[in-house]
Amino acid sequence: MTSRTRTRIGWVAVIAILLGAAYVIVARSGPAGSAATLSVYGH
Amino acid sequence: MSSTYRLHHAARRSLASVMLTAAAITVNHLYSLGPRALLLGAVLVVLPTALLLWFRRTRSRLALAGYAAVSAWIVAGFGLYKGLWLGMLRLFAGTALASVSSSFPKPTIGRYPFEASGILMFVGALFVAYYGFELVRAALATTDTSPFPAGEAEAPTQRWRFAGVGGALLAAGVVAAYAVADRDTFAAPPNGVVTIGVIAPVTGPYAILGNSFVKAVQMALDDLRGTKYRYRLRIEDSGPDPARARAHVKKVVEDENVDAVIGAVSLIGQVTKPFATKARIPHLCVCTVATIGDGAYNFTNIPSPEAEAVQWVAEARRRGIRTVAIVQQDYPSINNHVKAMKAEAAREGLRIAYDNRYADSVTDFRAIIAEAKRVSADVYYVEALEPQLDVLAQQLADAGVRNIASVVAPSLSTKPWLFEGAWYTDSDLSDIAFKRRFEAKYPGTQFATHMMPYAYDSFNMIVRAYEQGVNPAVYVRNVRSYVGVAGTVTKQPGSGNFASQPTVWTITNGKPTLLRDEAVSIRTERIER
């Protein structure tokens, strides 16, 4: 395995970890930022 | 490797990284700019391509400088500022900090494509920076005036080691800077005056609620004694239309920089929410839409439709009611109450024998009432807003219907005596004297029980924060239980919604009366006899 291949695998792993972690945070936060609730306003 | 080959190699890689980063920027900005983000994306693709082709054909320093400038814009503006500072640090560092201390707000989290594209903007910008640098170095090397030496001064391993250590230190410094900037700290109000914005619709269909709401906050202000700071209200009529309310909210929060906001009605609270978040001030919304309360800067403070439903069905069961006829206006907040009531009724075995949701325009209810009477339900669930509310009540009375129940509605009626004998759930009052004081102080203003105690208590929460020298947003985040005129409200850690227990009211002698007070009064009369 060349150092260029190792670097590429490293970058792919870093990006995958970041995107995966972001997915977990977004999923746990619920429907934040959603405009769907606008239709059920009350007082 | 020839210098020309190195130049073309770097140029191809640089342009490819610019293109990919431009794609991430476009996706990210679709959420803020809408279709105009496509225009931004087109500029970020066409401009550097044109500059690079110009440079390829002429070797113009101006073209190279232009290309470098666009790359720098992508790196600094989109990669470092938006991708890293506003994106990744908010998402990862912000979430981590908020989980360890309430001094840090829970960050606002967007949809996944928005968050993912923010990460890719930053990562892409790193490649844009690296290959842009390589391109400039290769271009200058071909002219023999390069400030960068062609040979390697240090061994590659050593260079990467330095880069690694430097990068780690830089990352730690950036995270530390973000933590400092993200933390909410107390700042004493200038000249000792705390200005609290009161944003409510006091005209249109919410006039009764809105006016009563504003007066409740004014009463809370008048009741203050011996405070360290002085408190001032900045009252703004938002009007009932959220599109127009935006300008009112912006004026109060952004232009006049109030220290906190107390708001009424979910529709307006939804508009206020992003402004309060941006200004980093607490927004206590006396409204029912739970998603307004994010636990960072926005909080809701009123019984939920579900809490009203549980109380309503419990009271119905206590009274031996088995069947219900529903006559309700088609209106969002009313629909929410009815939906929650139906769900709870189904759980507890109450049967809905008749269900009519009529349109805003209906003013003759006689046919609906006649139809409802045919099912001989144990109780009529009636909910509407003025002016239809009193028309419906009058026609029910004319038809001899007296077994009426509701959620909130009779407290909004301008002719409550039309509901004589009706029972309904509404906000609690720990002490009925609060209502009497309000009515004595503001004889021309109807006390609409639904929101008043929460408006009063919300104001006092802000005051307590300042008096204790705590950032008001942090103070509200930390409140787990608060005892006020609305009784006890509670909040789970991290939640933006205060939970409270509604209670049962009746219309007795033409006036809203707490059922428990009425029961005490009846017992007292019996003892006296």
Side-chain angles (χ1 to χ4, degrees), chain B residues 109-382:
Chain B
I109 310 288
R111 292 177 187 273
Y112 185 65
F114 173 79
E115 300 297 353
S117 59
I119 293 168
L120 294 175
M121 265 162 52
F122 171 65
V123 175
L126 294 180
F127 285 89
V128 171
Y130 178 75
Y131 287 119
F133 176 73
E134 289 289 302
L135 171 64
V136 171
R137 191 161 77 155
L140 295 179
T142 59
T143 62
D144 294 331
T145 56
S146 170
F148 310 110
E152 297 293 347
E154 299 163 38
T157 313
Q158 200 177 356
R159 191 177 62 173
W160 282 113
R161 194 173 294 149
F162 280 133
V165 172
L169 287 174
L170 188 64
V174 169
V175 171
Y178 183 82
V180 170
D182 191 41
R183 188 160 183 253
D184 284 312
T185 52
F186 178 73
N191 306 317
V193 179
V194 178
T195 305
I196 298 174
V198 183
I199 302 175
V202 297
T203 50
Y206 297 109
I208 292 174
L209 277 173
N211 279 300
S212 195
F213 178 89
V214 168
K215 293 286 191 296
V217 181
Q218 281 175 331
M219 191 164 129
L221 175 68
D222 294 344
D223 284 351
L224 291 181
R225 296 286 179 275
T227 54
K228 195 191 302 179
Y229 299 112
R230 279 176 293 135
Y231 295 86
R232 188 177 79 86
L233 299 182
R234 169 65 179 88
I235 297 164
E236 180 74 10
D237 177 12
S238 64
D241 180 0
R244 292 183 182 176
R246 195 175 181 282
H248 294 282
V249 173
K250 184 177 182 299
K251 184 170 68 176
V252 173
V253 177
E254 269 191 12
D255 303 344
E256 299 182 21
N257 294 312
V258 294
D259 299 300
V261 171
I262 300 170
V265 183
S266 296
L267 201 58
I268 308 303
Q270 202 92 44
V271 177
T272 308
K273 179 178 177 176
F275 285 96
T277 301
K278 192 176 168 198
R280 301 178 65 161
I281 59 170
H283 164 219
L284 279 84
C285 187
V286 181
C287 49
T288 53
V289 171
T291 51
I292 290 173
D294 55 17
Y297 297 102
N298 299 277
F299 304 87
T300 63
N301 191 9
I302 202 168
S304 64
E306 289 73 24
E308 299 272 10
V310 167
Q311 186 71 60
W312 193 93
V313 171
E315 178 64 15
R317 282 175 61 86
R318 192 184 71 79
R319 290 170 181 258
I321 289 166
R322 301 170 70 88
T323 54
V324 183
I326 300 172
V327 180
Q328 63 143 122
Q329 185 175 341
D330 185 8
Y331 191 82
S333 61
I334 296 173
N335 296 346
N336 283 347
H337 283 154
V338 173
K339 185 180 166 193
M341 186 275 281
K342 281 180 177 173
E344 183 64 17
R347 263 193 295 275
E348 294 295 325
L350 258 66
R351 188 167 67 83
I352 307 299
Y354 178 78
D355 188 358
N356 189 300
R357 181 188 292 187
Y358 64 84
D360 268 357
S361 52
V362 176
T363 51
D364 186 348
F365 301 97
R366 285 173 296 186
I368 296 172
I369 294 167
E371 217 173 58
K373 282 181 81 173
R374 275 201 282 277
V375 302
S376 301
D378 295 333
V379 74
Y380 291 76
Y381 179 102
V382 174

Side-chain angles (χ1 to χ4, degrees), chain B residues 441-500:
Chain B
K441 193 175 173 72
Y442 304 107
T445 305
Q446 184 174 342
F447 183 89
T449 314
H450 190 37
M451 292 157 70
M452 301 322 103
Y454 297 98
Y456 187 95
D457 291 345
S458 296
F459 173 85
N460 280 315
M461 272 191 215
I462 304 292
V463 171
R464 280 196 194 184
Y466 274 96
E467 294 300 305
Q468 292 179 18
V470 180
N471 178 288
V474 176
Y475 178 88
V476 182
R477 276 175 218 152
N478 287 334
V479 172
R480 296 286 168 270
S481 174
Y482 182 91
V483 181
V485 294
T488 303
V489 296
T490 57
K491 188 167 71 59
Q492 296 295 315
S495 170
N497 308 119
F498 284 98
S500 51

